[in-house]
Amino acid sequence: MQDLRNSLAEEQPRINSSLQLALRELPPGARPVAEHVLAAGGKRLRPFLTLLCGRALGCRDSGLYLLGAAVEMLHAATLLHDDILDNSRLRRGKPAAHTVFDPSTVILAGDAMLAKALLMVSAHGDPRLTACISEAVMRTAEGEILEFGQLRKASLSHEEYLDMITGKTAWMLRASCELGALRAEADEDLVRAAASFGLELGIAFQIVDDALDFSPPASGKEEAGTGKPRGGDLREGKLTPPLLFYLSSLPASEASGFMERFAADLLSEAEMDSVCATVHDRGFALKARDLAGAHLERAKAALRAFPPTPERDLLEKMTVYIQQRDQ
């Protein structure tokens, strides 16, 4: 795993440099907002996947960095919009942009970042690249709409949950990998394999993220492993696997009473804190994390179509990282 971390750390400066070039080309009014959300950090996982998939399939073109930066720019734009929709106070442990800037400005800056990302991809002159990133934008919006429609609902099937997270998270990781394969001019079978790897990795990533939402804050911090306050999903009215496992453990009458208060947004802070502690202490978060395993196995199976390269080895190690990550 250390070689994966070393490779990511080695690539981050050049990825960040590509992002800085893109930032300077944003409209002046959007630039401070974009700088704020990008300065909050992040591992630059999506551009790293673009680099690894492209190189694993034979591409050494520096254009991979611009494609990766475009995906990260698009991802950051979605974070701006997400935090407003969720009324989140923190993003990666720092003030969310809409708490620093006017929310209307933040929304419009996110739109400008999205448009800039599409321009960066279209500049490569390959309509397949533009179609790939455009579909990712559409699917991400679809996932967010599905999630918004499920807020404070009394039930959520596993299929509905998968549909939501496939859109809001997994499709962007799919696009990250597919863009690299397309840039490498890989055969159609390999492009499909890259896309499948990214999609399954993205589903697993969000499942683990939802489990981390219930993890105890690190010493001296108020946020869980997600960089948001512990139990943020619960407070926002989102049903996720850890909470569903908790509900299934309750007597029917107790579960019904809880869901009535949850649906009406009447849970007290003390009750939400108690639920978060119970979800963690009784292993429901770990049980939810285990759901990611099947998707990571499918991600690894997709990688078998790739030729053996050091980059393919790093991509396989990425599945282990996702399963074990604690932030």
Side-chain angles (χ1 to χ4, degrees):
M1 291 297 292
Q2 190 58 46
D3 54 348
L4 177 65
R5 295 189 181 92
N6 290 344
S7 181
L8 181 52
E10 183 179 325
E11 294 293 355
Q12 279 186 339
R14 193 164 177 186
I15 291 170
N16 287 332
S17 177
S18 297
L19 280 168
Q20 288 302 315
L21 286 173
L23 279 173
R24 289 201 288 270
E25 295 174 354
L26 284 172
R31 211 171 297 149
V33 178
E35 289 171 346
H36 177 88
V37 68
L38 288 168
K43 301 174 186 65
R44 310 304 189 221
L45 176 64
R46 289 156 189 82
F48 188 52
L49 286 171
T50 302
L51 291 172
L52 289 181
C53 284
R55 290 173 181 169
L57 298 175
C59 180
R60 299 292 162 179
D61 188 342
S62 61
L64 286 172
Y65 286 98
L66 293 177
L67 283 177
V71 177
E72 189 70 8
M73 179 77 76
L74 179 55
H75 172 60
T78 68
L79 297 183
L80 293 174
H81 292 163
D82 287 353
D83 286 344
I84 291 174
L85 288 171
D86 297 339
N87 197 28
S88 299
R89 296 183 297 107
L90 297 175
R91 168 59 60 183
R92 298 184 179 122
K94 297 182 179 180
H98 68 94
T99 69
V100 178
F101 303 92
D102 177 79
S104 297
T105 299
V106 172
I107 291 171
L108 294 170
D111 292 345
M113 292 172 69
L114 188 155
K116 177 58 182 173
L118 295 176
L119 280 172
M120 291 167 70
V121 174
S122 66
H124 288 269
D126 186 340
R128 298 174 306 161
L129 297 174
T130 305
C132 174
I133 197 69
S134 298
E135 185 167 13
V137 173
M138 181 178 67
R139 298 283 187 168
T140 301
E142 179 184 28
E144 294 288 356
I145 290 168
L146 287 173
E147 182 177 69
F148 196 72
Q150 287 290 341
L151 289 180
R152 303 207 174 277
K153 292 292 180 67
S155 64
L156 179 72
S157 70
H158 188 62
E159 291 72 22
E160 289 171 328
Y161 171 72
L162 286 179
D163 284 345
M164 278 193 315
I165 67 173
T166 296
K168 78 167 194 171
T169 300
W171 209 274
M172 197 68 69
L173 270 75
R174 170 187 164 135
S176 301
C177 297
E178 189 175 358
L179 286 170
L182 288 169
R183 185 64 181 175
E185 299 288 344
D187 292 342
E188 287 186 13
D189 287 348
L190 288 171
V191 172
R192 283 194 293 269
S196 178
F197 170 78
L199 192 74
E200 297 294 343
L201 193 76
I203 292 171
F205 183 95
Q206 186 59 53
I207 292 172
V208 172
D209 207 59
D210 290 341
L212 282 171
D213 190 62
F214 291 90
S215 61
S219 177
K221 295 186 177 182
E222 65 172 296
E223 68 269 10
T226 57
K228 292 185 177 183
R230 186 187 194 188
D233 289 339
L234 172 61
R235 288 170 167 79
E236 291 163 12
K238 299 175 183 177
L239 281 178
T240 59
L243 186 57
L244 291 169
F245 286 135
Y246 165 77
L247 287 169
S248 68
S249 75
L250 299 176
S253 60
E254 191 174 337
S256 177
F258 176 89
M259 284 310 302
E260 286 180 8
R261 297 191 301 281
F262 173 82
D265 195 13
L266 294 176
L267 294 172
S268 67
E269 283 295 319
E271 187 171 9
M272 288 189 285
D273 288 342
S274 175
V275 169
C276 289
T278 300
V279 166
H280 179 265
D281 294 344
R282 294 184 61 183
F284 298 133
L286 284 176
K287 188 176 179 182
R289 186 188 283 260
D290 287 342
L291 295 173
H295 296 283
L296 292 172
E297 286 302 316
R298 286 198 279 271
K300 286 190 281 189
L303 276 182
R304 295 186 193 120
F306 279 36
T309 62
E311 289 83 7
R312 188 185 75 169
D313 293 342
L314 290 174
L315 287 166
E316 186 160 355
K317 288 176 182 177
M318 186 74 74
T319 65
V320 179
Y321 162 75
I322 295 297
Q323 181 77 68
Q324 298 178 351
R325 75 186 184 96
D326 57 5
Q327 59 178 357

